Amino acid sequence: MPQDEWSEDSVARILVNPLYCLVEPAIVSEDQWIKANAKMIREMGEEAYLATLLNVLRGVREFVGDRP
């Protein structure tokens, strides 16, 4: 996807990714991530949010690999 094309789904996948508050230095604070994701849950609904989260975590797992 070209960088100048932002969709609702691509933005949601960025916001739901917990790595942005877990890396050092953190890109967003844990408090900011929690507040943003609580809002996303309310707006998207629980099932859609959880499906997006699982999709993001699958991508993280593939990137990191199955490490012991």
Side-chain angles (χ1 to χ4, degrees), residues 1 6 24 26 46 48 51 66:
M1 173 173 69
W6 292 91
E24 290 293 331
E46 296 93 348
D66 292 326

Side-chain angles (χ1 to χ4, degrees), residues 10-30:
S10 65
V11 173
R13 289 177 54 83
I14 292 168
L15 295 175
V16 77
N17 191 336
L19 291 180
Y20 292 110
C21 68
L22 299 174
V23 294
E24 290 293 331
I27 297 169
V28 297
S29 71
E30 287 184 26

Side-chain angles (χ1 to χ4, degrees), residues 2-63:
Q3 289 181 357
D4 59 349
E5 292 184 26
W6 292 91
S7 69
E8 189 174 326
D9 182 60
S10 65
V11 173
R13 289 177 54 83
I14 292 168
L15 295 175
V16 77
N17 191 336
L19 291 180
Y20 292 110
C21 68
L22 299 174
V23 294
E24 290 293 331
I27 297 169
V28 297
S29 71
E30 287 184 26
D31 187 53
Q32 289 172 318
W33 185 87
I34 290 168
K35 286 179 181 177
N37 279 265
K39 182 177 180 182
M40 287 178 59
I41 291 169
R42 290 189 301 273
E43 292 177 356
M44 295 174 73
E46 296 93 348
E47 289 183 19
Y49 174 86
L50 290 171
T52 302
L53 177 60
L54 282 176
N55 211 357
V56 167
L57 294 176
R58 279 188 192 103
V60 170
R61 183 182 66 197
E62 289 175 12
F63 177 76

